[in-house]
Amino acid sequence: MTAILRSMGYSSEYTLYSLKNTGAISFYKAGIGLVEIQRQIGHKDINTTIIYLRSMGFDDFENVRKNVPAF
């Protein structure tokens, strides 16, 4: 992936992890539920997904957290 990004002219600050961030943000903005985002990015705990999205500036999860089904 790194070689592909470099061949496209992206600097070394962009990594595979950058795509994960972009995907999570895009899913959230598109209205995809937290459980699906959790599954797509590989978190075992929904709270990890919430922390992850909060670290990127999203902070409106309290009502969502109350309605997440337990597995």
Side-chain angles (χ1 to χ4, degrees):
M1 186 62 174
T2 301
I4 293 169
L5 288 171
R6 297 309 155 261
S7 72
M8 294 173 63
Y10 288 95
S11 72
S12 61
E13 70 184 59
Y14 295 101
T15 64
L16 183 58
Y17 195 73
S18 301
L19 295 175
K20 181 179 177 181
N21 290 348
T22 301
I25 291 168
S26 297
F27 279 5
Y28 182 75
K29 287 183 175 180
I32 304 297
L34 286 178
V35 172
E36 185 59 30
I37 296 171
Q38 172 193 4
R39 289 180 182 150
Q40 290 296 319
I41 59 179
H43 292 153
K44 292 182 180 180
D45 185 332
I46 193 71
N47 291 314
T48 303
T49 304
I50 290 170
I51 291 166
Y52 182 80
L53 289 169
R54 278 190 176 147
S55 75
M56 292 185 282
F58 299 96
D59 197 23
D60 55 348
F61 303 112
E62 292 310 313
N63 287 331
V64 175
R65 185 196 315 245
K66 292 175 187 172
N67 296 310
V68 172
F71 294 100

